[in-house]
Amino acid sequence: MARLPAVLGTDHLPLAELCAARLDGELFVIDHAWAPVDEPDHPAFRAMVLSMRSPRSLIIERMSAAWVHGAIDDAPTVAQFCVPLDARIAVVDRPRTLVREVRIDDDDIVRFGDHRCTSPTRTAFDLLRDPSLDDDVVVGVVGALQVERPALATALHERLDAAVRMPHRAAARRRLELAESGRRSARDGDQPSLTR
């Protein structure tokens, strides 16, 4: 008998069976999928979950990528994907799924098996420049991405310095500075006082 994948959908089992397994405590619902209750929560698992929303191999990006990398607790309501400009992909018409064409290098993509996601650096870079997002949200997510990646801030400064004629550059720099100062404050607050 073939082993079922770690993330299930109605392509794998009928909806009634998935719901029954959830009621029996064997599966739980995550985003638009079901998974065994003992499945570990790691980036590859989250990438599999989000890929259930896309009909083809797309690149997970922005807030969806932030969820994959562990910077936010819940998957965004609207899954965000991108494709390279030269991909020549038809329009993806799926509910609560957004796909955009971007210029992206292979170095900006990390792979989790068959699933692709923007790297933490590219994810933060895209979020810093996104004018549709609230500053506090971006600062919090970029700060969370930096927690386990101390070199991320330097990589982002270099990337912003190298970008020529980039829209929203000043806002991106301000947001990055706020994320760094917030991270420093949190780190310093965790340190015991040396003056006592």
Side-chain angles (χ1 to χ4, degrees):
M1 183 167 156
R3 178 169 159 71
L4 289 172
V7 178
L8 303 169
T10 53
D11 293 345
H12 303 104
L13 293 171
L15 181 59
E17 281 188 50
L18 292 167
C19 291
R22 184 182 59 81
L23 290 173
D24 289 342
E26 296 171 6
L27 298 177
F28 70 100
V29 176
I30 181 165
D31 197 45
H32 287 90
W34 288 263
V37 294
D38 60 349
E39 186 65 36
D41 185 11
H42 49 76
F45 170 71
R46 290 179 177 209
M48 281 189 282
V49 168
L50 281 172
S51 293
M52 295 290 286
R53 288 212 210 177
S54 74
R56 50 182 69 91
S57 180
L58 304 174
I59 303 166
I60 302 164
E61 70 155 358
R62 294 183 291 163
M63 291 301 282
S64 293
W67 181 66
V68 168
H69 294 302
I72 57 176
D73 294 331
D74 298 312
T77 305
V78 176
Q80 297 171 319
F81 299 96
C82 65
V83 294
L85 288 172
D86 60 355
R88 302 207 184 276
I89 190 168
V91 173
V92 175
D93 187 22
R94 287 269 172 125
R96 297 190 298 174
T97 301
L98 181 64
V99 181
R100 67 184 186 133
E101 292 181 326
V102 298
R103 178 169 282 117
I104 190 165
D105 297 325
D106 286 340
D107 293 345
D108 289 333
I109 300 170
V110 292
R111 295 182 186 279
F112 300 105
D114 295 335
H115 313 289
R116 299 179 299 165
C117 181
T118 55
S119 68
T121 304
R122 175 62 188 246
T123 300
F125 184 70
D126 287 342
L127 293 174
L128 288 170
R129 298 177 304 131
D130 190 339
S132 69
L133 294 173
D134 181 71
D135 285 351
D136 292 338
V137 170
V138 173
V139 167
V141 172
V142 172
L145 283 168
Q146 291 180 40
V147 169
E148 294 180 17
R149 300 165 185 92
L152 182 62
T154 302
L156 289 169
H157 280 291
E158 289 171 358
R159 193 159 191 162
L160 288 169
D161 290 344
V164 179
R165 294 192 315 248
M166 183 184 80
H168 312 292
R169 183 185 203 155
R173 285 187 187 282
R174 183 177 42 76
R175 287 172 164 182
L176 179 56
E177 288 169 11
L178 289 170
E180 287 178 293
S181 65
R183 189 170 155 261
R184 277 192 300 272
S185 297
R187 186 183 63 228
D188 293 345
D190 292 340
Q191 299 290 327
S193 174
L194 299 176
T195 58
R196 285 189 219 170

